[in-house]
Amino acid sequence: MGMPKYHEIYRPYLGALMDEKVHKTKEIKQRIIEAFDLSDEDVAQMLASGTQTVLDNRIGWNKTYLKHAGLIETPSRFEVKITADGVNIYQQYKIINDDVLTQFPGFCEFKKMSPKKKMDPVEIVKDEEETPQDTIQRVYDQINDELAGEVLEMVLKQSPVYFERMVVKLLEKMGYCKELNGHGMTTQSTGDGGIDGIIYQDRLGFDKIYIQAKKWNPKTTVSRPEIQKFFGAMAGQHASKGLFITTTSFSQGAIDYAKGQSIILVDGDTLAKLMIEYELGVSTEVVYKIKRIDTDFFMEE
């Protein structure tokens, strides 16, 4: 039968979950291999980059798209379960493709597409509305958006103490000074309601920034009283600058209050993107280089 297109895998992927139980991703892969009668050669086929098999890549994108459409949920990184919407879609449609998934806002938002426009992030195809560089940038952004979600998911599984230490490492990578003559960034016991640490903006220690690091459930929101409490702790230290980092989001009241108090807020999405940018908890899988003609080389002296 040969290797299926990524959108041809949607239906058998959901079909493997129709018992509504939690399944391992390797079980789903085996069901898909059987559904398309794939040979060992098909299964072993690699991407041009040589970093992953084509099948694993396409199954991985299926998981991403179906999750953003709300048709599956992931209790853990390697486990998947179908949702009520997933069951309904499987029962309603004999062919499931991107057109079907565009009825779900989460899918359209993630793919940055209109309901009538198809885009394939696995096999980069020509699009009359964008240059090749635009296509690469769009796909790059999609990959990083998905990675940011996975990064935040992993962070949330760690302890509050681990989270505070992780914040320290991130700030170090960003160029802040952790230590100054043997003192500096100090992580205190979680739950103290005050200052979690101090970093220096300069090597001589003229300018300090006080930190609050809170690992909260993404379904909650950091509200204004929490920022006021942090500001009160800062005032007790005669501090003028603060940094509040969390795994969730901030209310508008918290954002408005922080602006007037020299407090920078970093929410969960921003935290994940900073970790990717400064390569904390992630590693580079493959590097693509875009080259151009060196006109100077071809100039006669």
Side-chain angles (χ1 to χ4, degrees):
M1 184 177 293
M3 183 64 62
K5 300 291 186 181
Y6 82 92
H7 55 81
E8 294 174 334
I9 298 176
Y10 286 146
R11 184 171 171 78
Y13 193 112
L14 292 176
L17 302 172
M18 281 299 287
D19 60 4
E20 301 186 54
K21 297 179 180 179
V22 174
H23 287 272
K24 300 288 186 182
T25 51
K26 62 181 181 181
E27 298 174 29
I28 300 171
K29 177 180 178 179
Q30 186 56 43
R31 289 285 297 274
I32 291 170
I33 291 173
E34 294 171 358
F36 291 99
D37 193 24
L38 299 179
S39 66
D40 291 342
E41 290 75 14
D42 291 330
V43 174
Q45 182 182 344
M46 301 294 292
L47 294 171
S49 63
T51 58
Q52 190 182 32
T53 67
V54 174
L55 181 61
D56 285 340
N57 182 268
R58 295 185 182 180
I59 291 176
W61 278 109
N62 264 251
K63 178 182 176 182
T64 296
Y65 289 160
L66 293 173
K67 181 178 178 181
H68 279 281
L71 306 188
I72 62 172
E73 57 187 17
T74 53
S76 71
R77 181 174 175 79
F78 299 108
E79 293 182 332
V80 184
K81 185 178 186 296
I82 198 167
T83 64
D85 281 340
V87 172
N88 290 336
I89 289 295
Y90 183 83
Q91 292 175 338
Q92 186 176 355
Y93 295 93
K94 294 299 182 182
I95 297 177
I96 302 175
N97 53 25
D98 283 5
D99 281 342
V100 173
L101 299 193
T102 53
Q103 64 188 276
F104 300 99
F107 174 77
C108 294
E109 181 180 351
F110 178 71
K111 289 203 75 178
K112 299 178 176 65
M113 62 182 290
S114 63
K116 298 299 181 182
K117 184 177 180 181
K118 297 182 180 180
M119 296 179 183
D120 187 342
V122 179
E123 299 177 28
I124 299 177
V125 296
K126 182 178 181 181
D127 190 313
E128 294 180 355
E129 296 183 5
E130 50 184 23
T131 67
Q133 283 85 353
D134 289 337
T135 303
I136 291 172
Q137 185 63 52
R138 172 175 53 77
V139 175
Y140 174 82
D141 290 342
Q142 286 183 349
I143 291 172
N144 271 356
D145 285 347
E146 176 62 15
L147 177 59
E150 292 181 354
V151 167
L152 191 57
E153 184 178 322
M154 292 298 293
V155 169
L156 288 167
K157 293 179 180 178
Q158 311 308 315
S159 70
V161 172
Y162 180 97
F163 177 67
E164 291 181 1
R165 292 172 180 169
M166 186 200 77
V167 167
V168 174
K169 292 180 181 178
L170 174 61
L171 293 170
E172 284 185 274
K173 280 183 169 287
M174 292 176 67
Y176 292 98
C177 304
K178 174 185 174 183
E179 295 184 356
L180 180 70
N181 298 327
H183 65 279
M185 182 69 195
T186 56
T187 302
Q188 304 172 0
S189 299
T190 302
D192 56 12
I195 306 298
D196 286 330
I198 304 169
I199 55 174
Y200 296 98
Q201 280 191 286
D202 60 278
R203 293 289 176 182
L204 296 178
F206 285 114
D207 212 350
K208 298 178 183 178
I209 300 176
Y210 286 72
I211 301 170
Q212 183 88 93
K214 294 298 181 186
K215 187 180 81 71
W216 282 13
N217 189 312
K219 295 181 180 180
T220 62
T221 303
V222 177
S223 58
R224 179 178 177 131
E226 291 295 328
I227 308 303
Q228 290 176 316
K229 186 189 302 182
F230 177 44
F231 180 72
M234 287 172 52
Q237 299 294 326
H238 305 290
S240 60
K241 296 180 180 179
L243 176 63
F244 196 114
I245 300 181
T246 184
T247 51
T248 185
S249 59
F250 296 95
S251 69
Q252 189 59 51
I255 294 171
D256 294 340
Y257 181 80
K259 287 180 179 178
Q261 307 300 338
S262 296
I263 297 175
I264 299 297
L265 305 181
V266 175
D267 60 18
D269 289 341
T270 303
L271 172 62
K273 290 175 181 177
L274 286 172
M275 290 177 67
I276 293 172
E277 180 180 353
Y278 290 93
E279 299 187 341
L280 181 65
V282 300
S283 58
T284 300
E285 182 177 44
V286 64
V287 176
Y288 297 97
K289 293 183 179 181
I290 299 177
K291 301 184 179 182
R292 61 176 175 80
I293 289 291
D294 181 355
T295 54
D296 292 340
F297 177 81
F298 294 99
M299 293 288 290
E300 291 188 10
E301 296 182 359

